[in-house]
Amino acid sequence: MKKCEQMYEGKAKKVFATDNADYCIVSYKDDATAFNGLKKGTITGKGVINNRMSNFLMKKLSDEAGIPTHFVEELSERDTLVKKVKIVPLEVIVRNIAAGSFSKRFGVPEGTNLNCPTIEFCYKDDELGDPMVNEYHILACGWATREDVDTITDYAFRVNDYLKKFFLERGVELVDFKLEFGKTPDGTIVLADEISPDTCRFWDAKTHEKLDKDRFRRDLGHVEDAYQEMMKRVFGEN
Ligand code: TMP
């Protein structure tokens, strides 16, 4: 499929039209932002890593966990062909261990194991600071239907079950992560956006060293090293 005009530029990816209206091409950048775009920087090589890792994980989730995704084909180091979807304007956050905004909001120290996984929905709007919303807000504002919310919730916990085990086998604790979902023209909900060190918290299972974008958000240094290390954990040494 031919890469046509740019449709959209996000904080970490560009989206291009193709010559087929049902598909588009996402192109991963090295740009990094935090705090709803207030902090800006570059993580060299991030786009290549996130593209490869996200595609690999989405394919596994589809093949082995029955989660429908937008992934179609990896086209190059940074470019991937995906199904064109209408993004549901929600960030869906699943947590296994307290960290980040959960720890701040509820006063639960970082690193506390949660009794069971939790889910949060945030309305995707940088200017509003992606406020946390509940199912009533979602239905009242028409961001998704009840059926969509039920499907998304089911998929999000199934993604968590699969990925928690996948990463633990590679010596990594999946602390929490953010998913986004989209709707295809026939109304099917599919997993969209990306799954990468930008959108997950990964801690080394033994040392609890942070191996994700928190190194950038919190100025911890060795940001590129952390992304490279996660690449090794997922794909092995080669
Ligand atoms: P939080 O603790 O800051 O709410 O983040 C929860 C998870 O969601 C964490 O793995 C990072 C991810 N995340 C994003 O992918 N995008 C965002 O804009 C934010 C705030 C968090």
Side-chain angles (χ1 to χ4, degrees):
M1 242 163 272
K2 212 174 115 226
K3 192 169 174 179
C4 300
E5 78 280 1
Q6 184 176 309
M7 295 162 59
Y8 171 79
E9 176 158 9
K11 286 175 288 189
K13 296 187 282 300
K14 293 177 182 175
V15 183
F16 295 87
T18 69
D19 48 7
N20 183 327
D22 294 335
Y23 298 91
C24 44
I25 291 172
V26 292
S27 189
Y28 284 73
K29 307 188 285 184
D30 286 350
D31 298 354
T33 65
F35 315 115
N36 300 311
L38 286 179
K39 178 179 174 136
K40 290 189 173 74
T42 302
I43 302 173
T44 305
K46 168 172 90 76
V48 175
I49 289 174
N50 288 5
N51 183 41
R52 274 194 72 196
M53 195 184 298
S54 186
N55 292 341
F56 179 76
L57 295 174
M58 289 227 187
K59 185 153 189 336
K60 277 193 135 359
L61 284 165
S62 165
D63 292 349
E64 297 173 27
I67 307 292
T69 81
H70 71 162
F71 173 72
V72 180
E73 187 190 352
E74 192 166 296
L75 300 174
S76 71
E77 274 195 325
R78 289 178 187 271
D79 285 6
T80 291
L81 185 68
V82 297
K83 289 177 198 153
K84 189 167 167 184
V85 297
K86 192 159 184 277
I87 291 287
V88 177
L90 298 172
E91 302 207 333
V92 180
I93 296 168
V94 177
R95 302 179 191 266
N96 298 304
I97 298 172
S101 72
F102 185 96
S103 292
K104 250 195 211 130
R105 209 181 304 124
F106 302 128
V108 180
E110 277 212 341
T112 307
N113 271 306
L114 302 177
N115 290 334
C116 58
T118 67
I119 192 163
E120 289 157 28
F121 299 103
C122 297
Y123 174 53
K124 252 173 82 75
D125 187 316
D126 275 350
E127 276 178 29
L128 298 176
D130 296 340
M132 185 155 80
V133 296
N134 66 30
E135 188 169 344
Y136 290 92
H137 300 135
I138 296 170
L139 301 185
C141 295
W143 295 319
T145 65
R146 182 181 298 278
E147 206 188 5
D148 293 341
V149 175
D150 289 346
T151 303
I152 287 170
T153 304
D154 174 54
Y155 287 169
F157 282 126
R158 280 166 52 192
V159 167
N160 185 47
D161 288 342
Y162 183 88
L163 291 184
K164 213 165 45 175
K165 182 165 172 288
F166 174 89
F167 283 111
L168 207 53
E169 286 167 0
R170 287 152 180 84
V172 172
E173 283 179 325
L174 179 61
V175 175
D176 56 31
F177 57 94
K178 185 264 301 182
L179 301 175
E180 293 184 29
F181 292 86
K183 242 183 181 185
T184 59
D186 70 1
T188 308
I189 292 277
V190 300
L191 181 60
D193 194 54
E194 67 179 275
I195 305 174
S196 71
D198 271 21
T199 62
C200 303
R201 283 198 174 94
F202 296 127
W203 292 356
D204 181 274
K206 281 210 188 90
T207 66
H208 302 293
E209 186 191 358
K210 293 183 189 354
L211 298 171
D212 57 63
K213 193 176 161 191
D214 267 352
R215 302 205 72 88
F216 168 79
R217 294 189 189 99
R218 302 180 186 191
D219 295 319
L220 299 175
H222 300 286
V223 183
E224 280 88 357
D225 294 343
Y227 280 71
Q228 294 286 354
E229 179 60 28
M230 279 311 300
M231 211 44 193
K232 273 194 212 156
R233 300 292 179 103
V234 170
F235 290 103
E237 294 293 327
N238 317 318

